[in-house]
Amino acid sequence: MKVTKGGKVSELLKDTRIPKMFRATQTFPREVIRPEEIPAAVSREMEREEIRSRIQPGMSIAITAGSRGIRNVDIITKAVVDGVKAMGANPFIVPAMGSHGGATAEGQVEMLAGYGITEEAMGCPIKSSMEVVELGYSERGRRVVLDKNAYEADGIIISCRLKPHNAFRGPYESGPCKMMTVGLGKQVGASVVHGDGMDVIAQNIPTMAKVVLEKAKILFAIPCIENAYDETCKIEAIPAEKILEREPELLKYAFSNMPKLIVGEADVLVVDKVGKNFSGTGVDPNITGTFSTPYASGGLKVQRTCFLNLSKESHGNALGCGLASAITSKIFNDMDIEQMYPNCITSTVLASARIPCVVSSDKEAMQICIKTCNKIDKDHVRMVRIPNSLHIGSIMLSEAYYEDVKAGKYPGLEAVDEPAELEFDGDGNVVTPIVL
């Protein structure tokens, strides 16, 4: 694709006014387990008798590690490894990420390394393979498989994050059950779970998880939950036989800790950086409102959205850009189709991989969104700018919101400075920082 700076597109957009913006802070409840407190928190959970009694000296223990940008995932994983070692057992880590990492064993190891999970850092082996073992069939007739290395261990610990999913709703969304069926199912299992469509995945996950719990040596799950500031706020070990009961309860707690864009509605949303380390779809639609399916809803009510940069941690996987109205040529040039398409082929959701309008710069991305909005006040555009969808404690808002924010219309939202013009460099990329 040829994107011409200064061409006809640039000419059509050049007079589109970008509104003045001001910095604002959003305040949410902030229960937190600080990084230095995490090893002790994990240890307390693993020392509970109903958990500790499951690990015996000499056992080979598989510990899962996923592909998401989970806060403190390296610290949590190392604490679980150390806990297993303290009980005299022999831990190893298994990448549990379905088809991510390009659906290759090497790619999945590379993804873990990007999060600080290496054999050297963790002090134990990492056994990565796409080979699976068949466990049986669910009550819905779906084939259930499990990572071969994990299956052959004496026990499996499901270490993961528990949170609302970005494409469907149900009692079991992103958490231990999904980790058992999609993560440990590798590409084969992930394809089966998603194969009936996102309107059925909420049924496939628990029914297939039942088979895993019956046929595999799952010892316990130890999910973490994050607060509105992307900080670890809860870690809880759940005995295998209680996972199906406890996970829906913890999902409600996770929902209660979700952040949001307090203004609720906007004409344009600008996201500085997207990527797999922020969400499976580049941004979390529970925040941005850019859902890939009709089976989940929420987030900001917005007419146009633009994405400006792709994170290095994504390794070229720009899945989710199809949900934007416009992206920059920077993102387009960073795309690696071999990293993107295995995900959407496996999930059967193609919308996330589509290519939206591509423009030459950040400025033009904002301008094309503003210019193509319908039925808005172009002199008072409501624009929201966020650094990414995980960290929205500090944001920028256009001057259209200023008086209402100052007047206290939005509880939890506070203006930090006054509206001012955004600054752009010679290439048209924004240089005004969201946080001073």
Side-chain angles (χ1 to χ4, degrees):
M1 179 184 288
K2 184 179 180 181
V3 179
T4 304
K5 183 181 179 183
K8 188 63 177 180
V9 173
S10 299
E11 181 184 341
L12 290 170
L13 297 175
K14 67 179 182 180
D15 294 328
T16 301
R17 178 180 173 270
I18 295 173
K20 292 181 179 180
M21 306 284 288
F22 65 95
R23 296 177 178 86
T25 57
Q26 300 196 122
T27 303
F28 306 101
R30 200 165 190 169
E31 181 182 353
V32 63
I33 303 174
R34 303 200 178 281
E36 63 270 19
E37 300 169 341
I38 287 174
V42 170
S43 180
R44 281 195 300 271
E45 290 298 306
M46 293 182 67
E47 285 293 333
R48 288 164 38 204
E49 180 57 31
E50 64 177 340
I51 301 299
R52 181 182 178 86
S53 61
R54 296 162 192 260
I55 300 176
Q56 302 300 318
M59 289 177 68
S60 171
I61 305 293
I63 300 168
T64 62
S67 56
R68 301 297 188 221
I70 302 169
R71 178 58 67 95
N72 302 314
V73 66
D74 54 338
I75 301 173
I76 294 170
T77 305
K78 180 66 162 60
V80 176
V81 168
D82 290 346
V84 170
K85 285 182 177 181
M87 297 176 194
N90 303 309
F92 66 91
I93 292 169
V94 173
M97 55 183 78
S99 65
H100 294 176
T104 68
E106 299 77 16
Q108 297 198 345
V109 169
E110 184 180 354
M111 287 207 74
L112 291 186
Y115 299 132
I117 299 175
T118 64
E119 292 186 343
E120 294 74 22
M122 298 296 105
C124 73
I126 295 176
K127 297 184 180 181
S128 183
S129 169
M130 300 306 291
E131 190 174 355
V132 295
V133 174
E134 184 175 300
L135 301 183
Y137 287 78
S138 73
E139 60 193 55
R140 299 194 69 255
R142 300 299 175 261
R143 182 182 179 221
V144 182
V145 299
L146 196 81
D147 177 274
K148 186 174 186 291
N149 288 316
Y151 179 79
E152 292 177 348
D154 296 322
I156 304 169
I157 296 173
I158 306 298
S159 178
C160 63
R161 177 175 60 188
L162 195 155
K163 69 181 290 291
H165 198 269
N166 57 35
F168 72 91
R169 292 287 176 258
Y172 307 88
E173 296 187 16
S174 292
C177 287
K178 185 168 180 281
M179 186 63 110
M180 287 188 285
T181 55
V182 176
L184 281 176
K186 313 302 277 196
Q187 195 282 329
V188 175
S191 183
V192 174
V193 174
H194 291 87
D196 293 315
M198 282 293 177
D199 56 331
V200 180
I201 192 172
Q203 299 173 48
N204 277 343
I205 286 176
T207 54
M208 293 173 69
K210 286 180 183 178
V211 178
V212 177
L213 289 165
E214 290 169 2
K215 300 293 182 68
K217 303 172 189 136
I218 306 296
L219 302 179
F220 60 90
I222 186 161
C224 65
I225 297 174
E226 294 167 352
N227 63 22
Y229 296 90
D230 182 37
E231 298 166 329
T232 307
C233 67
K234 189 176 185 67
I235 297 172
E236 180 178 316
I238 313 169
E241 65 276 12
K242 295 182 180 179
I243 290 174
L244 290 171
E245 173 189 354
R246 182 60 174 153
E247 183 172 334
E249 297 170 348
L250 289 175
L251 180 59
K252 293 178 182 177
Y253 175 81
F255 262 109
S256 72
N257 278 274
M258 283 286 290
K260 63 180 180 179
L261 291 167
I262 295 173
V263 293
E265 296 185 6
D267 301 319
V268 174
L269 172 65
V270 179
V271 185
D272 279 15
K273 187 172 289 187
V274 302
K276 297 292 284 187
N277 52 317
F278 304 124
S279 174
T281 50
V283 295
D284 187 345
N286 293 298
I287 306 301
T288 62
T290 52
F291 288 92
S292 59
T293 78
Y295 308 114
S297 61
L300 185 71
K301 184 178 179 181
V302 64
Q303 190 173 151
R304 294 282 186 264
T305 301
C306 61
F307 300 161
L308 307 184
N309 300 282
L310 180 65
S311 70
K312 291 181 180 179
E313 293 87 346
S314 294
H315 302 285
N317 190 335
L319 203 65
C321 282
L323 309 177
S325 309
I327 61 173
T328 62
S329 57
K330 292 178 293 182
I331 291 181
F332 183 80
N333 293 335
D334 284 343
M335 285 183 178
D336 184 341
I337 299 304
E338 289 297 308
Q339 292 292 326
M340 291 173 65
Y341 286 4
N343 283 183
C344 61
I345 291 170
T346 300
S347 71
T348 75
V349 179
L350 301 183
S352 296
R354 293 172 182 160
I355 306 299
C357 293
V358 182
V359 291
S360 68
S361 67
D362 297 350
K363 186 174 184 178
E364 289 189 356
M366 298 178 200
Q367 289 175 315
I368 195 172
C369 285
I370 294 169
K371 190 173 182 66
T372 60
C373 275
N374 301 127
K375 300 175 182 177
I376 70 167
D377 184 348
K378 295 291 178 73
D379 293 324
H380 300 89
V381 176
R382 300 175 303 167
M383 192 162 88
V384 178
R385 180 184 170 206
I386 62 175
N388 56 68
S389 64
L390 268 185
H391 308 107
I392 57 172
S394 295
I395 64 174
M396 294 192 80
L397 298 170
S398 64
E399 58 188 334
Y401 293 105
Y402 187 69
E403 293 302 326
D404 283 341
V405 172
K406 293 292 287 184
K409 179 180 177 180
Y410 302 104
L413 185 60
E414 182 179 351
V416 174
D417 57 13
E418 296 181 351
E421 300 287 352
L422 290 179
E423 295 181 5
F424 299 88
D425 64 18
D427 293 322
N429 294 319
V430 64
V431 294
T432 303
I434 292 178
V435 180
L436 287 174

